[in-house]
Amino acid sequence: MANPPADWIKSAVKITPGFEVAGDPYMGASGNFDGMGISCGALQWNIGQNSLQPMVKAVGQPVVLAAMPTYGAQIWAACTGTVRNGLAIVNGWQNGKALKPVAKAELRALMGGTAMRAQQDKVIGEVAGRAHAGATAWARGYDDGTPSKRLFCWFFDIITQNGGLETLSPQRVKDFIAANSPDHADDVICDFLAAVKGTAGHVKDANKNGLLWRNKPDAEQMMVLVMSYLRSNTANPKWQHVVLNRKGTIAMGEGWVNGAKWDFSSEGL
């Protein structure tokens, strides 16, 4: 299986972490906003899912202690014990769901250091390989084609954020487009987004995307937008539009996510 082009990986790393982390994504560090204890780095590896622990152990205790003079011994203990114990340790570094300033600064120093950047790149490469394999299989199954950068970035995000396709298949997407006619499949999706009610920022994003994406997709964008819609249907109904905001923005190359307008035309999407 061929590796994805380097610029595809670069764009995926800009897009997927960019929705979550301001600034250098490799130095991202956030508190317990989702029950995972802490989330760090470009792909928000965390304690709760045991995804940060292998990376910390891989760089070694001396590197950890050098980057984190105050909290290094604690993060080492958190990453070499049970998940439950790890969560208890890092939750003690927080005021509510926000990291205390020193803990945040030291985590950023660790994640941004040479050793941890190399470790992040290694894991990113593994995710990129899975995303490229998924995009290649999808393209072959859909129209005997080859994967595009857009499709690769979508797979990179779905693997990172949602685990994978679940029951989604190329045939389901083709059936949906055929049932609604190629010119109107986007209307079903945009009608759904326009009808989302509430005052939260992600609701406003959905309403804006319903206006922005209508009558815009070309054939490839339509395929990936429908993929986004059908995959979002497997999410908790409370968050379906949130998943669709994110995945649809990758599909269309622009959109509203987390209260901000994103434009990925410079990334070739």
Side-chain angles (χ1 to χ4, degrees):
M1 181 68 67
N3 293 322
D7 71 293
W8 288 20
I9 300 175
K10 183 177 179 180
S11 291
V13 171
K14 182 176 180 179
I15 292 167
T16 289
F19 287 137
E20 311 293 338
V21 179
D24 183 349
Y26 282 77
M27 297 179 69
S30 55
N32 193 23
F33 65 93
D34 57 0
M36 295 295 106
I38 55 173
S39 297
C40 301
L43 300 188
Q44 292 289 278
W45 296 283
N46 58 71
I47 294 291
Q49 293 179 320
N50 199 34
S51 55
L52 180 61
Q53 290 91 317
M55 301 174 71
V56 170
K57 288 186 282 188
V59 300
Q61 189 175 22
V63 169
V64 174
L65 295 177
M68 302 183 65
T70 304
Y71 290 96
Q74 292 184 45
I75 189 65
W76 186 257
C79 291
T80 54
T82 65
V83 169
R84 181 177 181 180
N85 187 58
L87 288 171
I89 291 171
V90 300
N91 285 340
W93 304 353
Q94 306 182 46
N95 294 316
K97 297 180 180 180
L99 282 165
K100 295 176 181 178
V102 173
K104 186 179 183 72
E106 291 193 357
L107 283 170
R108 286 176 56 82
L110 173 65
M111 300 308 296
T114 301
M116 189 59 87
R117 283 182 183 272
Q119 185 63 27
Q120 290 189 61
D121 281 335
K122 178 182 177 181
V123 180
I124 287 167
E126 294 168 356
V127 175
R130 291 169 58 200
H132 193 248
T136 298
W138 183 279
R140 288 175 178 168
Y142 191 81
D143 59 6
D144 201 26
T146 57
S148 65
K149 186 177 186 179
R150 185 188 316 277
L151 190 61
F152 166 78
C153 288
W154 190 92
F155 267 89
F156 189 93
D157 196 77
I158 203 78
I159 290 170
T160 300
Q161 292 291 315
N162 308 95
L165 292 175
E166 293 194 349
T167 60
L168 187 62
S169 68
Q171 191 60 51
R172 283 189 63 206
V173 171
K174 288 192 284 188
D175 289 346
F176 182 92
I177 293 173
N180 293 284
S181 84
D183 293 333
H184 296 290
D186 60 303
D187 290 329
V188 176
I189 299 168
C190 291
D191 287 346
F192 165 78
L193 290 167
V196 178
K197 303 296 183 184
T199 59
H202 50 74
V203 172
K204 296 177 181 178
D205 291 339
N207 297 158
K208 291 176 182 177
N209 288 331
L211 293 172
L212 180 64
W213 297 339
R214 193 181 297 274
N215 300 326
K216 294 284 185 66
D218 61 21
E220 185 198 33
Q221 289 172 326
M222 182 71 83
M223 176 189 73
V224 185
L225 183 61
V226 172
M227 291 169 70
S228 304
Y229 176 69
L230 293 178
R231 179 59 179 81
S232 75
N233 287 343
T234 67
N236 183 321
K238 182 179 179 181
W239 305 114
Q240 181 180 348
H241 60 285
V242 179
V243 175
L244 182 53
N245 285 338
R246 182 183 184 116
K247 301 301 181 286
T249 294
I250 297 172
M252 297 301 296
E254 63 174 348
W256 290 85
V257 180
N258 295 336
K261 176 74 183 321
W262 300 84
D263 183 344
F264 297 129
S265 57
S266 63
E267 303 302 320
L269 271 62

